[in-house]
Structure formats: structure tokens, C-alpha cells
Amino acid sequence: MTHLVVVGASLAGLRAVEAVRGDGFDGTVTLVGAEEHLPYDRPPLSKEYLAADECPDPRYREHATFADDLDVELVLGTPASALDTSARTVTVGDRSISYDGLVIATGAHARALPGTEGLAGVHVVRTLDDAIGLRGALRDGNRKVTVVGAGFIGSEVAAVARSLDLEVTILEALDTPLVRAIGERMGRALTRLHERHGTEVRTGVAVDEVLHDDGRVRAVRLGDGTELDTDLLVVGIGAQPTTGWLEGSGLTVDDGVVADARLAAAPGVYVAGDVARWPNALFDDVLDGPMRLEHWTSAAEQGRYAARNAVDPENAKAYETVPYFWSDWYASRVQFVGVAAGDHVEVVAGDDADGGPFTALYRANDRIVGALAVDMRAEVMKYRRLIGRREGWDAALALAAERREQAAAKAAEAKAAAAETTAQDGARA
Amino acid sequence: MKINVDWDKCTGMGMCESLAPDVFEVDDDGSLILHAEEVPDGQEDEVREAVAACPTEALSLES
């Protein structure tokens, strides 16, 4: 193994090159990125990066780190356009780059709303340039913001826009938002967070047409014919894995690049991040087939696994994980671990009727497979361990009972301390 | 090995707790409780994993 090529210069690609260099790999390493930017931190782009008046630099590393510390050749600004797995070459612009081992980490791109190409006032949030554009637009005197799609990205942007005191409406095609990600009851619970903060959520509505004047969005026409005026239109209708460049490569592409448990898609070719579809052995009893995640933690881990497997295929290791994602809405933190599969969701702490705080557990095959918490930050990671050990449902309920007892004891202690303070204040008065 | 936390960066995501619960715990308000200043014997791998898994790069080790 002399040349590792990593295509995709976001988190998974970064972690790929860092992992092998950290292990002492002394071959040549090339990192190819479609964007001009150095690898940067994506989760904040739909959250604090939009909300804060001062923009923190989202880049993970400086140029010098790649050149000096990591000894990585950066090929930025042009997307890879072709892969030849028999000749073992990747085409980038007019360059053909040979590889011995390859990591595909080209991620996903935001799905566009048909009929909005080139319209001013229409935004997606995926790249740093997208975020810079939207950040400016939210501060440009625009008053009305319409968000298409009540998923996590759309919800985060809606929350930021409300915090900037804009008028926000979310339009969702499904009757309940986030059904696929967290299930129906929990989708409803999270919708309450929006309503609590004055964001209007309209579900079961179709956007028939985007109306514009002189190339600038003016309104959207809904399925029932009503027109909704808007200054900005934010499109958050999901992301598609970036696999177009792999056409004709012989790799199996099916909503992502299909790989085996070791993330191998072909000899010498491994996948990582949003583009990867692989069988997650931890959930082989509850999932129908291989899964694809668009989460920070799995992208980081898969980047490391894929690169290590690519430079040492003889000792390639299988990757399995308990998925984890978080989302910040208003001042609330939403955290989810596991998969939202199964036959039952149980709220084990708090109350979901008004959007939390609460913790809910997901059951499938009589074991705990998922946990969702809203503003209960101490909870989900304790369940993540149970899920990773394939613990039964009873064990999860036992932990939940223990956590409730601990919370009650803590509350009683706090109350006693407060009473003590009040008594002391009374004595002094 | 000493465990360093950059408290300005930590936002209580909790990956560290799920990987090395004897050392890291997230409190109700999202603040991190560090149960050990030094990496406990026999837990080097878990703690290294936890450091690598931090989404805000708030953790580091000092030998």
C-alpha cells in the first residue's frame, strides 16, 4: 500500500487521513474535495453559525496542518467525476489520480425544490457557502420566512429565524413531521416545541408552485390553492447521497454506495459518511437491510474505519454503531440514540404532551433499540450503552426507574436546601 | 495520562460518557462531570476513544 486517496473533504475524509497518519502510515495520502474550503464543521451551520452575530471559523484545521503535520496533498475545488475500479484511478478535473486504497466520502447534497433553480431568496443549508448566504439573508430586513420541510435542518433554521424575531411558517408534506426519524408520537411531541415558540407548523400541505417577481421569490402556492407570501424560502427536504460520479464504476449504488460490514464496496474501495450504506450488525434483528446515516458521529467513525481498512485490508474490521444525533431547537436540545424501529415507544421521564422535557425509549424485538430525550441531557447516553449491549426491554425499564428515583432524590435535596436558605433569610430579617 | 477538558468547547453531547462512563458523565444541565483527572489503569482505550469521539474536540490527553 503506497497511495491512499480519499474523495470527500468533509468530516469523514478528514478523520480518514488523520487516522492513518496517526497510525504511522507512511505512504502518499491525497484528499480530494469538491469545495474550495478546507474541511469544516457542518452541524453548527444550521444552528449557532446562523444565530450568532459573530461568525466563528468553522474550519477544523489550518492549511499548514495538512501540509506539515499530516503530509496530505489537498486537491480542493473540483469534484471527482469518475472512478475506474479496475485501473484504480479517480478522475478529478483533467487529472487522473491512481490509488492503491480508496475511501469514498463524498457525502450528500441538499435536495432542491423543483422550480426554484436560480431564484433569489431561496436557500438550502448544506455547505458553508449556503450558510453564509442564508446568514446574510436572515439579517437583510426580510420579515417572513417560509421553511419547506419540518425535518431537523428545517426545524433548526426555523428556530434560528424565530430567535431573530422573524415570522416563520414551516410547511410539511407529511401529516406528522419526522415520522421516519423518530416515529409518529415523538414527531408530534417535537412539533409542540415549534408551536411553543410561535413558529407555525402546517402539516399535510403540498407546495404546488413557487411564485416569483423578477427572479425573486414572492410567495408559495399550496395544494389547496392558497398563496402564502414570503420574503425567504428555506428548503429543507432532505439530502441525496453524492454518487452521480460513480456511474459506470461498477459499484452498487442504491441510495448510497452499498458496502459490506467492513465498509468495503469493491476491492481496495471503502466508504464512509453520508454516502455509505452498510449492514449495521447491532440492529440486524430489527432492520430490513443495510442502513445509511447522515450523522456526525458515524461519519467520523466510518472515516477512521474505512481508511484503516483501506491501507490494511487483510486486517479490515467490521463497523457497527449505535447511531447518535442531536439537534438544537430554540433553547432546547433534542438527542436521539439508536434506531426508531419497533412496536412501542414509552415515555419514561417527563411529559411529551407539551414538547418536553422528556425521555422516551423505543422497543423492538423485546429489547431497547432507541432513546430520545428533549432537554434531559444526562439521559440518552446511559441508554446508548444498553442498546449497544443488546440489553432487554426489562433492563431498560429498570434503568429508567433508577433514573427517576435519582431525579426525585436530587429534587428533594434541592428543595430542602432551598427551604434551609429561606429559613436562614427569615432568621436574618 | 491527564485528561484535559476545554470547558468553552464542551456542550455536553455525551459521546465521552457512552464510551467511558467511569470517567465522564453529563449532568442534567448538559455540563460535564469529570470523575477522574487521570486516565484510570486499564481504561486507556476507552478514554482514547472518548477523546476521539468528541464532536466539539473539547477533550485531549496529556502524558
Side-chain angles (χ1 to χ4, degrees), chain A residues 146-424:
Chain A
T146 303
V147 178
V148 182
F152 284 105
I153 299 291
S155 291
E156 289 178 350
V157 173
V160 170
R162 273 305 294 153
S163 74
L164 296 171
D165 217 18
L166 305 179
E167 212 177 295
V168 185
T169 304
I170 301 177
L171 305 175
E172 168 59 48
L174 299 175
D175 289 333
T176 309
L178 295 165
V179 165
R180 203 171 54 94
I182 56 172
E184 197 165 327
R185 178 174 170 190
M186 293 299 114
R188 275 198 303 273
L190 291 200
T191 304
R192 285 291 301 137
L193 281 177
H194 286 307
E195 293 163 353
R196 250 162 58 181
H197 289 87
T199 297
E200 191 187 353
V201 183
R202 295 201 196 173
T203 57
V205 294
V207 175
D208 269 7
E209 196 182 352
V210 176
L211 308 170
H212 49 91
D213 281 338
D214 300 325
R216 189 175 174 89
V217 65
R218 171 175 66 78
V220 289
R221 185 159 54 228
L222 306 179
D224 63 2
T226 51
E227 283 183 17
L228 187 67
D229 289 344
T230 196
D231 299 317
L232 293 177
L233 188 67
V234 180
V235 179
I237 54 174
Q240 276 172 311
T242 304
T243 53
W245 67 288
L246 296 169
E247 217 168 280
S249 68
L251 298 186
T252 306
V253 174
D254 178 13
D255 185 30
V257 179
V258 179
D260 68 13
R262 295 176 180 82
L263 303 175
V269 180
Y270 294 80
V271 296
D274 295 8
V275 79
R277 180 171 287 282
W278 97 113
N280 187 355
L282 263 180
F283 299 97
D284 54 6
D285 58 329
V286 293
L287 294 178
D288 287 337
M291 73 191 304
R292 187 173 73 79
L293 296 170
E294 295 178 359
H295 302 162
W296 191 97
T297 44
S298 47
E301 289 168 357
Q302 288 172 343
R304 293 200 294 268
Y305 272 76
R308 285 177 171 144
N309 290 351
V311 301
D312 187 10
E314 304 281 291
N315 296 302
K317 287 191 177 68
Y319 174 69
E320 58 177 41
T321 191
V322 179
Y324 169 45
F325 67 82
W326 70 91
S327 187
D328 294 329
W329 302 19
Y330 312 95
S332 289
R333 173 157 292 176
V334 178
Q335 294 168 290
F336 184 86
V337 293
V339 295
D343 51 14
H344 178 62
V345 177
E346 184 151 332
V347 175
V348 295
D351 183 1
D352 63 319
D354 201 32
F358 71 89
T359 300
L361 307 183
Y362 293 67
R363 180 184 74 191
N365 208 9
D366 203 35
R367 67 179 180 112
I368 174 171
V369 294
L372 171 73
V374 176
D375 292 327
M376 286 200 166
R377 298 183 181 208
E379 302 308 309
V380 289
M381 286 307 169
K382 293 176 171 69
Y383 295 103
R384 187 174 193 255
R385 295 178 63 74
L386 294 193
I387 299 166
R389 295 198 302 254
R390 290 179 173 248
E391 297 266 6
W393 183 244
D394 288 349
L397 292 184
L399 174 60
E402 193 185 310
R403 293 296 298 161
R404 282 194 299 269
E405 273 168 35
Q406 286 167 350
K410 225 171 169 178
E413 215 172 275
K415 202 174 162 192
E420 177 89 354
T421 313
T422 313
Q424 280 170 2

